[in-house]
Amino acid sequence: PGNILLAEDGTVKVTDFGIALAWDDSAQLTRTGAVIGTATYFSPEQAQGQALDERSDIYSLGVVLYEMLTGQPPFSGESPVAVAYQHVQEPAALPSSGNPDIDPGLERIVMRAMDKVPEARYQSALELREDLLRYLRGDKPTAAQAAYGDDHTRVLEPMPAPTVPPDETYRQVAAQPSARSNLGFIATTAFLVLTLVVLLVILFQNVFGGSDTPETVSVPAVVGFTEGAAVTAIRNASLTESITRTAHESVPAGIVVSTDPVEGTEVDAGSIVTVVVSTGLDEALVPSLVGETLDEAIRRLTEAGLELGEVTEETTDEEEAGTVLEQSPAPNTPLPPGSTVDLTVAVEPDQFLLEDLRGRSFRDVEFVLTEAGMTVQRQDEFDDEVPEGLVIETIPGPGLIDIGTTITVLVSLGPEEVEVPSLIGRSVEEARTLLEPLGLELVESTATVVDPDLAGRIAEQFPDAGTKLLPGARVLVTLAVAPPPTTTTTTTTVPPTTTTTLPPGP
């Protein structure tokens, strides 16, 4: 899953170049006696060094799907050998045991893809895809019910083949004592030998040349990871995580935004890495605003995805005018994006705290400002967004204003009407090009007008040219067509037939 990138448009990309860099010659990837890959996603036949085909990839894909659904791979252990052994011998726990919300139909698909016997798995990616689509449509998947970690690319010696038949390995049926497999004994012995070698190496380093300098490790790249994946990566790097959370307008909730220190920094093993996790836009944290100026408080609210609510004035000599004295809700309170935060702001006796009056009627704004001792000057302007009669903005804008200041109030006249141009004689595309900048929409009539001179072009329009319309209005046009061809009729006159009567014969 760490190598799968899912873009916002649904595009899926796979990025893994570790194996490509593992050997100088790609032919060595298939050398006899070596197994290369990530043990967490090995197929049983790969762990045993047997021949592989696309069904091996189906198994690995099933492991990926298992981890995506449960948050953890089906097998984990202290060494790659231990993990590979489990792929061969141990049954995987059902995904629903770790995530009860997993649907049984989807669980059957996963377990069939992870069947230890290749012949019992899906035989192609297309077959797996069809079953997944069948499940998404609500149909019953064809998957039969099945009884059924180190995350770095490693080079491993192939595990010996189990001594029991594959179907017996799959079903985990207890065999007779005479037919018991010695694979467990071999794997356990190999693990103990490896452990002994590691302990001897550590002992040798500590006794014969160990350094007092603490081991340094590199901070892993976890930006964009889920919180759980980031914690796992940091702990695997012998570091300790410290989680903090922040609202973020573009990073989804639960995804890592940044780390401190940043990725790639060399630090002592065991050091603390601060992981900043996004709470997304579903939850915005109220910033601490007390002591800030009103302008700074508004800026910080905007950054947090919140808005300024009711502003209360409080006359005081202890704080500088314009300073935020109180806020509600309190700092770090989670709120839905777009929520308002109320502030209490210090003012001097001869000053007035001008609020944001946009979108209110001019009469209301005029009353508020006049009552506060301000001089109001009205200025009307066209505006495509603010309805007619409502305030577009005030000059000066929100903030502390000296009493007696002249406030210019811009009032909307609504959208400005545009004049319909003449479209007669133009093609449909030419007419559309003329109307679009004016915000008018062209509608083509199903009727036609016979006019040989304008055939294929606009012959009529409604409304007529020069008419004033609001942006968004429609202009109906009718196209001209050529007259139908004239049919010529030819009349042929047939002369009358003359009949002669003969006398009877002898």
Side-chain angles (χ1 to χ4, degrees), residues 33-35 43-52 157-161:
V35 178
S43 63
E45 56 269 27
Q46 184 177 4
Q48 299 175 70
Q50 298 175 357
L52 309 179
E157 293 303 315
M159 293 189 62

Side-chain angles (χ1 to χ4, degrees), residues 308-332:
L308 178 64
E310 181 180 351
V311 179
T312 304
E313 303 174 20
E314 183 174 315
T315 303
T316 178
D317 297 330
E318 298 179 358
E319 297 288 346
E320 184 178 352
T323 302
V324 177
L325 302 177
E326 297 178 6
Q327 69 177 84
S328 178
N332 296 320

Side-chain angles (χ1 to χ4, degrees), residues 317-395:
D317 297 330
E318 298 179 358
E319 297 288 346
E320 184 178 352
T323 302
V324 177
L325 302 177
E326 297 178 6
Q327 69 177 84
S328 178
N332 296 320
T333 301
L335 295 176
S339 300
T340 59
V341 177
D342 299 333
L343 302 178
T344 300
V345 180
V347 297
E348 297 179 357
D350 57 348
Q351 286 188 319
F352 170 71
L353 180 60
L354 178 61
E355 299 180 37
D356 187 352
L357 301 174
R358 291 177 297 179
R360 298 175 62 173
S361 69
F362 172 73
R363 295 183 61 180
D364 289 345
V365 172
E366 183 181 35
F367 176 80
V368 170
L369 297 179
T370 302
E371 285 293 305
M374 303 294 175
T375 302
V376 178
Q377 178 178 329
R378 174 171 177 159
Q379 181 175 324
D380 295 331
E381 292 185 358
F382 290 105
D383 193 285
D384 294 337
E385 298 180 358
V386 180
E388 182 179 359
L390 301 185
V391 173
I392 302 172
E393 64 174 325
T394 60
I395 305 176

Side-chain angles (χ1 to χ4, degrees), residues 135-179:
Y135 167 75
L136 291 175
R137 290 194 303 267
D139 299 332
K140 184 177 181 180
T142 61
Q145 176 67 46
Y148 313 78
D150 188 11
D151 295 325
H152 303 287
T153 299
R154 299 289 185 89
V155 177
L156 305 175
E157 293 303 315
M159 293 189 62
T163 57
V164 293
D167 57 339
E168 292 298 312
T169 301
Y170 165 65
R171 294 181 175 82
Q172 296 297 300
V173 177
Q176 297 299 321
S178 59

Side-chain angles (χ1 to χ4, degrees), residues 406-422:
T406 299
I407 307 294
T408 301
V409 181
L410 302 183
V411 182
S412 174
L413 293 173
E416 184 177 7
E417 292 184 335
V418 294
E419 184 175 314
V420 179
S422 175

Side-chain angles (χ1 to χ4, degrees), residues 466-477:
T467 305
K468 296 281 189 177
L469 295 178
L470 291 174
R474 298 179 174 182
V475 178
L476 180 68
V477 298

